[in-house]
């Protein structure tokens, strides 16, 4: 057997490790990014996505006015912060962050409550789909026409490159959802088999 074949055999047995690493990666990202929503710079950063979303903009009091109150990361503009307070920017971010953290915690339950982890993974799939919809609704996802010839589709801006990565998160969440669902079904089947065995043996002791 050649060393190349051996390498492929080792790789073929890495699926379980891959699923575990995928789940841990999702948990870390969800808890970390969700937790950061409690900080104002992160809340400021998601404003263009929320303000332009037809399904989320109603959470803001003045979604059409956000462009005049953008806060660059690391900068402190008191007037902009006051506007965002009145706009509901931070209140929405606290709620969104709490939901994202909850999803991460649900995935943590895989060893004990795989059915809850499967639901959590499904919710991450839905969340990723919503995030990917920002590519359609958020103008800031594309390089603006400021004089260069490379602007608009398919030239993703920094925001767009961040959003498109959710395609990977969606796929990862589908993998962990299936894995958690399989574990739940195996345990349920095993419990039913044990119950059947007990019912079969009980008459013998009467």
């Amino acid at each position: 057997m050649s060393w190349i074949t051996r390498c492929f055999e080792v790789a073929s047995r890495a699926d379980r490790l891959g699923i575990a690493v995928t789940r841990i990666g999702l948990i870390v990202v969800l808890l970390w990014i969700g937790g950061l929503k409690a900080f104002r710079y992160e809340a400021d950063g998601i404003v263009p996505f929320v303000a332009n979303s037809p399904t989320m903009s109603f959470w803001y009091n003045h979604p059409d006015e956000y462009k005049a109150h953008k806060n660059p990361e690391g900068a402190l503009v008191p007037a902009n912060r006051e506007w965002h307070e009145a706009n509901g920017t931070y209140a929405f971010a606290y709620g969104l962050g709490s939901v994202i953290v909850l999803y991460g915690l649900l995935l943590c339950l895989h060893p004990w409550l795989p059915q809850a982890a499967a639901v959590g993974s499904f919710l991450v799939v839905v969340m990723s789909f919503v995030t990917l919809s920002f590519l359609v609704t958020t103008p800031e996802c594309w390089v603006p026409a400021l004089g260069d010839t490379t602007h608009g589709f398919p030239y993703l801006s920094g925001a767009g490159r961040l959003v498109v990565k959710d395609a990977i998160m969606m796929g990862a969440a589908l993998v962990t959802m299936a894995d958690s669902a399989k574990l739940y079904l195996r345990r349920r089947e095993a419990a039913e088999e044990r119950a059947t065995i007990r019912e079969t043996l009980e008459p013998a002791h009467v």
Side-chain angles (χ1 to χ4, degrees):
M1 182 183 296
S2 69
W3 67 270
I4 295 178
T5 303
R6 289 174 181 171
C7 288
F8 275 100
E9 285 190 349
V10 171
S12 70
R13 294 192 293 269
D15 53 336
R16 294 308 310 167
L17 176 62
I19 293 174
V21 172
T22 298
R23 179 174 289 106
I24 292 171
L26 282 174
I27 291 170
V28 170
V29 169
L30 292 167
L31 296 182
W32 199 338
I33 297 300
L36 286 178
K37 293 293 185 289
F39 296 89
R40 294 186 172 186
Y41 88 94
E42 173 68 13
D44 293 343
I46 65 173
V47 167
F49 303 120
V50 179
N52 287 288
S53 172
T55 60
M56 302 172 73
S57 60
F58 68 90
W59 290 103
Y60 287 168
N61 296 322
H62 311 287
D64 297 331
E65 302 174 15
Y66 77 93
K67 291 185 178 180
H69 304 281
K70 288 184 177 181
N71 283 322
E73 288 188 3
L76 175 60
V77 183
N80 286 345
R81 286 285 169 83
E82 291 177 6
W83 183 88
H84 283 291
E85 287 281 5
N87 183 51
T89 298
Y90 304 126
F92 173 79
Y94 297 151
L96 178 62
S98 299
V99 169
I100 295 174
V101 168
L102 175 61
Y103 292 173
L105 293 176
L106 285 173
L107 265 64
C108 290
L109 296 176
H110 172 76
W112 306 281
L113 292 172
Q115 62 270 40
V119 171
S121 292
F122 171 75
L123 293 173
V124 174
V125 171
V126 174
M127 182 183 72
S128 299
F129 178 81
V130 172
T131 300
L132 288 171
S133 73
F134 295 153
L135 291 173
V136 178
T137 61
T138 308
E140 283 85 350
C141 285
W142 308 99
V143 175
L146 300 177
D148 197 351
T149 57
T150 52
H151 60 80
F153 180 86
Y155 306 107
L156 292 164
S157 66
R161 294 192 294 273
L162 179 67
V163 168
V164 78
K165 292 177 182 177
D166 262 56
I168 300 173
M169 178 170 281
M170 178 183 289
L174 284 170
V175 169
T176 57
M177 179 185 71
D179 186 57
S180 294
K182 287 178 181 177
L183 178 59
Y184 168 69
L185 292 174
R186 286 197 303 269
R187 289 182 177 177
R188 180 176 178 178
E189 183 179 352
E192 290 175 350
E193 288 180 356
R194 289 193 297 269
T196 301
I197 292 172
R198 283 196 300 269
E199 291 175 358
T200 303
L201 296 177
E202 280 177 0
H205 297 288
V206 175

